[in-house]
């Protein structure tokens, strides 16, 4: 941690800062310059609290040198982590191909979509039973009935399932059915929920919030890791931007950036990132080319009847096409895709 | 709702769209132009689901004409609402002066800060017992002990209290102690939590999320209103921006914009909006000048010892100064401040 | 300047960095910590080039301590500057009341608008003769004829005039007619144009670019100051944001932030910041309450006939109302408005 | 164009709007609904001016149906355009591999970098002679001497050259030396400059501004096309965002979005988009995977001596590696790269 003093800081102020540093069991190294004086702070950085120094008289700025996350950092764990989701590996050269409808709507629809995405090359099935909807008047999901349908459909097709949890009181329920628990973008900083899924051992798909920095995302992963659950997969799904052509800005650079900072796998979700079927395939391929450990795509066989987010879903035949291209790119980059249909 | 067809839409596609509209009990009004054909949809707009039409073949765009929120809209309730918080009125010409520390830290500290802000002109006391912290290693609040301290301090000084709830399982607990429940920015789209506070009758202080549009904010208010709780006060506290000089962008135009769209009171929180004490007074005054129904400011008597967000707190004497200026502006604009110290 | 080394930086790398620093005539102060080593760099900061050190092997980060602007900084010039525009003072407690149509459209229209805003309390007349339009098919302005009309109208009403220049080849022409030259938001980083207006002595109204940070704005001011023209007035006119309710985000906190960092006056332009007449008065008052040295508002007496940006103009009677409120606030805050009609 | 009336619009107001529409030679189609009345406007859309109707009493909103750009639109020119730059084709399945230093610094350095990028597979050489620098104190470029060096080096290596112009007075000079003229991000809405390059026939590399929407970018292209120069290549180079890990947000979805809306080729510039060498290769590949017609990368053989933007340049060996991967992806997608070294 580095404390930069204001140009006019008095000796008394500097002494006060140094005494504060030392009173916390840390070492202070003073460096006086013609323009500015700086104090390097050495010691157990886990105790550093920049806020406490920022407010001291004479202090211009306090700069953290080490990242505020530890367990999620690449320094703590130099090898990329591989997260295992009921036989499907994510990370370390293994791609997740997650597909399915936005919401579980009925057993029949789930079955037809699952059969289609399975045949097309998906290795994990998704579907929402509890839906976060902007409007209280929109469809809110089937609840536990949806979980059952998703479980049965996944089992039938030999696919692990991932589904979202929104309520800390429902984590236990969702954990019982799902192979992987999704934390949605709007809940990325729902620390109560993060703590609850951290208390399980289930793999967690942690979606980046719309206004979350990459460091914010890693801090939210840290919440889960700190509770003892190491199975976190990050997901870039678009951040808030000013353009109206796309729903969000697909921040593809977050993929290599996270890989530099962290050992956790990161996948991309071009469905939510763009909100437009005509842009999803290009962005899916962009994500894989950028090094993503998987692709999450919403697929629906009749978007006009979808109860939620129909317009951002691909048709099964569109999904089959992009999945085939992803497999070619995976081959080009030497990536593996476990649990492909017919590969069991 | 207006459906705009693609320039090359076929008659068959147009017919399909019209039949869809009519199958939902709505009327379709076709308007063919040289360049584009549009269909005006008339009927019970509460049933409109643009997504279902957006995906139909031949459809270029679907435009909502009426806002997606109803109970929160100015059309539904042309007079500004006044929310009553244990004797303090907010809205309709009445200013809330909410002040207090970020977190309740101890009875002694709470007492000294409460005494100071009360004397300076605050009429509602704030303090966090459950703190949403970006890092799992940061101070997370005193919990119920904090609620007790806040309650006792508020009672002693004749001030209603407001405090944040983050966990739907704790709404009942917080409701028991607090006069007003705060939903923080990170939980603005925690729909589970919104539903729970909607089930109470307690006034709710709903903070705008960092990437929430004004319509998003009103939709979240709608969640609470739709459960039967009409006592919602909005709060502009800064949105995500690209500049690094301030923590967020204080979107002061949201104040008159919300007042045009909604009858709900809206206050400003320059502490979180700027994150810098040197900018808080100017932004507090800007908010009042823009028509805000109150000002929420964090105050701490020893920021360097604050366990949370010290650097964004004003000192009591700084608060006294800005509160005095706010009172002058209130007078200029003909606003009232109920429950001022000495005015009981 | 502070150089932070990577945790694994070798002694050889550290030596290389130190030699680089010294080869540039600067002093290096090494501070080795348990976690990180940092090098404080002392000397003539005007020669610091962080880029050159950032790329050295073993370097994690390079942090500037002093701001990159000098002439614009508050440190260089602790007293607020007052810019004189043909008798109207801006800054140091003096408010500019700039009003007029977006574009000069005809002598008659200019006359009627000028008479109205003059009577309402404007002290500087604006009007565009060269218009930056997003579309090549939109009205581009009257050119020199517009300048003549603006000059004559200003003279008749005893008002200095401000108008925009977009082309470095036209600076001389515009300088001949105008009392103040406007650099529009889209040209804030048109360094060729900044250099040209810096070569004049005319007061410059420098509008903040839509994606410009506050530091970017001050750097652009520095371009003008560095050429020898000290007469720069900054203008906050909204930055790019994600909401669609307003055209831009009116960053009112930029007003106190600029005042802390710089001695230059700063005014606000709520017309462009919001793009909505119904929000302009509230934002104008917010700007003045935040400490702005003036308000720039577009006024048109028949917005439906305006050739440019009609929808963001106030009607003369709306302007008169907000101008009256601004004067009351000016009185409250002890600000002066020079060259008021009837005050000559 | 569709005019949506306010819910309380009077018959008189509606009549006034209709008369306005008709007075402009357009047809008005009235559609009265239970909730809202809308007017579809038919006729020569090139004459539509939403602003003029937006301000009429009773009007809630005016919506354009056709895009405001014409020559740049995919509707006007359904086949993708191919731009020819002295023998190198861009677009329609042909990739541009543009590489070189940020600034031309000396003949020797230019020669060594050109030789390296040529060998690595670049087919167009870049280098700045006039540099837009945020600070007036930074290196501003070699001017005409730089153009000469760039020309000679390009000729020696059989590479067309691209270089930036900032000053409308210098367009003729730059045109004399360069095969392609670059308009930088900061000048994307410098309409004076766009008009000047539109008056030439030289291919133009038009970089997206940091706060420009995709429509803004296409409107700026329209400025050039409207002057008679059809040779425009768009460039996505990052837009302003809130994260600080990268310099900008690389909006890779802009690539397929532009391809849907326009026939113009679009390339990507991961150097400026990320500002970090460690992220450039991943983003370059992402751009190609998303369908970009080329990649623009800054390369320098000694970043610590670079006079401008050293930290965002790749080393020649890093460029060779990413160029080899791009060629593999080009092969996978069936793209061609003309004028490869050894392929002449």
């Amino acid at each position: 941690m580095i404390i930069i003093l204001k140009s006019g800081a008095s000796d008394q102020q500097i002494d006060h800062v140094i005494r504060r540093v030392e009173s916390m069991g840390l070492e202070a190294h003073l460096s006086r310059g013609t323009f500015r004086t700086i104090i390097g702070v050495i010691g157990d950085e886990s105790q550093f609290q920049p806020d406490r120094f920022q407010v001291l008289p004479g202090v211009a700025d306090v700069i953290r040198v080490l990242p505020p996350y530890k367990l999620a950092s690449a320094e703590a764990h130099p090898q990329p982590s591989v997260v295992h989701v009921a036989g499907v590996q994510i990370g370390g050269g293994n791609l997740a191909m997650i597909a399915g409808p936005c919401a579980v709507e009925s057993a029949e629809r789930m079955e037809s979509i699952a059969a289609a995405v399975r045949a097309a090359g998906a290795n994990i099935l998704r579907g929402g039973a509890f839906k976060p909807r902007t409007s209280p008047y929109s469809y809110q999901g089937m609840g536990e009935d949806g979980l059952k349908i998703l479980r049965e459909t996944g089992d039938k097709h030999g696919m692990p399932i991932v589904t979202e949890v929104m309520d800390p009181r429902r984590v236990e329920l969702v954990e019982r059915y799902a192979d992987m628990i999704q934390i949605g973008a709007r809940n990325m900083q729902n620390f109560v929920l993060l703590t609850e899924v951290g208390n399980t051992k289930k793999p967690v798909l942690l979606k980046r919030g719309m206004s979350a920095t990459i460091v914010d995302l890693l801090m939210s992963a840290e919440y889960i890791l700190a509770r003892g659950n190491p199975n976190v997969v990050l997901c870039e799904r678009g951040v808030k931007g000013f353009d109206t052509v796309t729903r969000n800005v697909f921040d593809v650079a977050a993929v290599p950036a996270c890989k530099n900072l962290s050992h956790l796998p990161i996948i991309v979700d071009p469905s939510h990132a763009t909100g437009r079927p005509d842009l999803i395939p290009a962005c899916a391929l962009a994500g894989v080319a950028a090094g993503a450990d998987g692709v999450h795509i919403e697929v629906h066989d009749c978007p006009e009847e979808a109860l939620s987010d129909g317009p951002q879903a691909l048709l099964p035949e569109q999904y089959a096409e992009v999945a085939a291209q992803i497999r070619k790119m995976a081959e080009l980059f030497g990536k593996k895709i476990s649990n492909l249909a017919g590969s069991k």
Side-chain angles (χ1 to χ4, degrees), chain A:
Chain A
M1 195 165 65
I2 297 167
I3 300 171
I4 302 172
L5 296 159
K6 288 183 183 161
S7 56
S10 69
D11 283 356
Q12 198 185 343
Q13 289 174 332
I14 296 172
D15 282 354
H16 181 62
V17 175
I18 292 174
R19 278 199 309 274
R20 267 269 153 189
V21 169
E22 293 173 349
S23 77
M24 297 175 80
L26 303 164
E27 273 179 64
H29 291 248
L30 189 69
S31 177
R32 283 177 190 272
T34 18
F35 291 101
R36 288 288 167 105
T37 296
I38 62 176
I39 297 171
V41 180
I42 309 292
D44 178 11
E45 280 233 21
S46 71
Q47 292 193 320
F48 286 4
Q49 290 172 288
D51 281 8
R52 298 248 182 137
F53 297 99
Q54 185 72 64
V55 297
L56 295 177
V59 171
D61 215 350
V62 183
I63 294 159
R64 280 193 88 96
V65 175
L66 291 183
Y69 46 88
K70 292 170 196 72
L71 304 171
S73 75
E75 299 193 0
H77 190 304
Q79 289 306 311
S81 287
V82 179
V83 171
H84 295 259
V85 180
V88 172
Q89 294 170 47
I90 308 177
N94 301 282
L95 294 191
M97 298 285 284
I98 305 177
C102 179
V104 180
E105 295 167 17
S106 72
E108 296 67 34
R109 178 132 278 157
M110 199 67 225
E111 167 57 24
S112 66
I113 297 174
V117 300
R118 184 61 169 147
N123 59 9
I124 297 180
L125 184 65
R126 69 146 283 129
F130 301 102
K131 299 301 307 169
R133 302 304 300 273
T134 307
S135 167
Y137 310 118
S138 295
Y139 178 69
Q140 310 271 330
M142 290 183 76
E144 187 169 0
D145 288 345
L147 294 176
K148 282 181 190 161
I149 292 170
L150 186 63
R151 179 73 273 166
E152 285 161 17
T153 317
D155 285 347
K156 180 174 166 195
H157 293 280
M159 300 174 83
I161 61 172
V162 57
T163 195
E164 179 166 357
V165 68
M166 295 162 57
D167 188 335
R169 296 167 297 196
R170 295 257 173 77
V171 169
E172 204 197 317
L173 175 73
V174 173
E175 188 191 358
R176 225 180 308 139
Y177 288 96
D179 299 302
M180 185 177 212
I181 302 176
Q182 178 184 311
I183 300 291
R186 288 177 180 76
N187 282 312
M188 193 203 84
Q189 292 193 319
N190 181 337
F191 304 117
V192 170
L193 193 60
L194 295 177
T195 300
E196 288 295 335
V197 299
N199 287 338
T200 77
K201 293 289 180 203
K202 279 278 152 132
V204 177
L205 181 59
L206 178 64
K207 294 198 154 187
R208 182 180 180 186
M210 277 164 285
S211 59
T213 62
I214 287 170
V215 170
D216 288 338
L217 174 61
L218 294 174
M219 289 306 292
S220 286
E222 188 83 7
Y223 255 93
I224 300 170
L225 299 172
R227 299 300 303 181
N229 183 349
N231 303 305
V232 177
V233 175
L234 309 172
C235 182
E236 162 60 35
R237 48 76 73 211
V239 292
K240 207 80 184 181
F242 56 77
D243 210 332
T244 52
V245 163
T246 48
R247 184 186 293 186
N248 293 292
V249 187
F250 176 44
D251 182 11
V252 76
V255 173
C258 280
K259 290 203 160 293
N260 284 356
L261 297 171
S262 174
H263 56 92
L264 298 172
I266 176 165
I267 70 167
V268 294
D269 171 359
S271 296
H272 287 89
T274 67
R276 283 179 46 176
D278 57 336
L279 306 181
I280 293 173
C283 290
L285 294 172
V288 176
D293 299 300
V295 178
H296 172 286
I297 292 181
E298 294 196 351
V299 178
H300 201 284
D301 51 8
C302 185
E304 73 185 82
E305 289 176 4
L307 297 173
S308 172
D309 270 348
Q312 77 190 28
L314 290 189
L315 292 167
E317 54 267 31
Q318 293 171 319
Y319 180 69
E321 206 174 311
V322 68
Q325 287 184 291
I326 291 173
R327 279 197 302 277
K328 280 190 203 160
M329 285 190 55
E331 208 174 314
L332 186 71
F333 290 117
K335 298 284 179 77
K336 293 183 292 288
I337 305 175
S338 53
N339 188 39
L340 279 182
S343 71
K344 288 174 289 181

